[in-house]
Amino acid sequence: MKTKLLIILSVVFILMFNSCGKELIDPLNSDEIAIVESYLYAGDSSIRVNVSRLLPFSEDTLEVKEGITGLNILLNGLPMSDMGSGEYQFLLGNNKVEAGTSFTMVFYYGSDSVSSSTQIPEKPVDFYLSDHVIYTDRITSSGGFGSGPMEDIDVTWTNDDDSYYYVTIEYLESTPDLINEVMEDTDVPTIQSISPIQSSGTRLGMRNLQFFGHYRIVLFKVNQDFADLYQQISANSNNITDPVTSIKNGYGVFTGMSTDTAFIEVREN
């Protein structure tokens, strides 16, 4: 699940630098710009930090980033292991990332000290789904919804301090079974996300649950830096001249998350 989520986050992150790469590289030397991606999850026993550099912008550029190796990255004063290709790892052994704890990352790149700090949010409270099994008709070229459209599911949690929450919906079946067979030639995603919100709930329906079978619903409590980055991309992905960043003397995100998980099954009437 986390691997797939990281793909979503990385795509969002790459979109940011695809859209702003020309503006950033014009005034700055790309060899001196470090881009950091790190998402620290409560409950994990390891921490990963990915560091890359911007590549010169051109219409033919397929990738906008290249991993930086050989860095001496300190996490809370302790060295991280260089895993190659710009990935660094720190193993916590028998310990885990705990909610409420803080982490600081620092390394030198070029002539600058690149650094960032984050705190791990507390686990979401009172995560609740109004139903865990829902029924709907299969839609074919000849019709469907004889019993009416799929009912929405209310997803709620307690949010007394206006924190940010991010929801992902992951289809778990190995063989997709589309509810709407008319869409069989369409590339329907098996994992979706709902952008960070400060409310205490959202709703899931046909737009999110497009297959019969089982789904995993993950609620992430995230920090404002992640929400700001996500929202800036969504709102202005074609014209970002000053991208949101939580990295001092660099770009990117170094942020903590806590999660809770629930499951839904969609059955055919």
Side-chain angles (χ1 to χ4, degrees), residues 8-53:
I8 289 179
L9 300 182
S10 294
V11 167
V12 169
F13 205 77
I14 288 170
L15 283 173
M16 177 179 75
F17 286 98
N18 265 320
S19 59
C20 69
K22 183 172 177 58
E23 291 86 349
L24 289 176
I25 292 173
D26 281 346
L28 297 172
N29 184 341
S30 63
D31 288 338
E32 297 179 357
I33 302 172
I35 304 171
V36 176
E37 287 182 78
S38 184
Y39 309 97
L40 287 66
Y41 296 91
D44 273 3
S45 57
S46 66
I47 294 172
R48 290 189 299 167
V49 173
N50 288 280
V51 186
S52 54
R53 63 170 60 87

Side-chain angles (χ1 to χ4, degrees), residues 63-139:
E63 300 288 344
V64 295
K65 298 187 297 177
E66 178 182 72
I68 302 174
T69 59
L71 298 173
N72 179 28
I73 301 182
L74 298 180
L75 184 73
N76 284 1
L78 299 174
M80 301 192 73
S81 299
D82 187 345
M83 310 302 291
S85 301
E87 180 179 333
Y88 297 81
Q89 186 179 57
F90 186 85
L91 299 178
L92 297 172
N94 294 327
N95 297 319
K96 295 184 182 298
V97 176
E98 295 184 4
T101 57
S102 298
F103 291 88
T104 297
M105 169 214 65
V106 62
F107 62 90
Y108 281 90
Y109 183 61
S111 58
D112 291 323
S113 172
V114 180
S115 63
S116 186
S117 297
T118 191
Q119 185 171 24
I120 310 302
E122 297 293 335
K123 182 178 179 179
V125 175
D126 299 328
F127 182 32
Y128 175 78
L129 304 183
S130 61
D131 208 339
H132 291 271
V133 179
I134 55 175
Y135 294 84
T136 191
D137 293 334
R138 186 180 298 274
I139 303 173

Side-chain angles (χ1 to χ4, degrees), residues 89-243:
Q89 186 179 57
F90 186 85
L91 299 178
L92 297 172
N94 294 327
N95 297 319
K96 295 184 182 298
V97 176
E98 295 184 4
T101 57
S102 298
F103 291 88
T104 297
M105 169 214 65
V106 62
F107 62 90
Y108 281 90
Y109 183 61
S111 58
D112 291 323
S113 172
V114 180
S115 63
S116 186
S117 297
T118 191
Q119 185 171 24
I120 310 302
E122 297 293 335
K123 182 178 179 179
V125 175
D126 299 328
F127 182 32
Y128 175 78
L129 304 183
S130 61
D131 208 339
H132 291 271
V133 179
I134 55 175
Y135 294 84
T136 191
D137 293 334
R138 186 180 298 274
I139 303 173
T140 66
S141 57
S142 59
F145 283 151
S147 303
M150 176 191 296
E151 293 185 5
D152 285 350
I153 293 179
D154 291 316
V155 183
T156 58
W157 55 87
T158 296
N159 186 11
D160 294 332
D161 57 359
D162 290 328
S163 293
Y164 285 93
Y165 291 84
Y166 172 77
V167 178
T168 62
I169 306 99
E170 181 189 6
Y171 183 59
L172 299 178
E173 308 296 345
S174 57
T175 303
D177 185 9
L178 274 166
I179 295 172
N180 187 350
E181 292 182 350
V182 179
M183 300 176 63
E184 62 183 8
D185 293 328
T186 305
D187 185 17
V188 181
T190 57
I191 180 167
Q192 298 185 35
S193 63
I194 297 174
S195 60
I197 52 179
Q198 285 182 280
S199 67
S200 57
T202 187
R203 305 190 86 179
L204 304 181
M206 188 74 176
R207 65 194 179 281
N208 314 109
L209 309 169
Q210 301 189 57
F211 304 93
F212 292 109
H214 294 83
Y215 292 80
R216 175 165 40 218
I217 313 301
V218 183
L219 175 65
F220 296 81
K221 187 174 184 178
V222 300
N223 290 320
Q224 184 170 349
D225 52 9
F226 174 83
D228 288 345
L229 174 64
Y230 196 108
Q231 290 169 356
Q232 185 180 28
I233 304 304
S234 301
N236 197 21
S237 62
N238 293 319
N239 184 26
I240 300 175
T241 57
D242 187 18

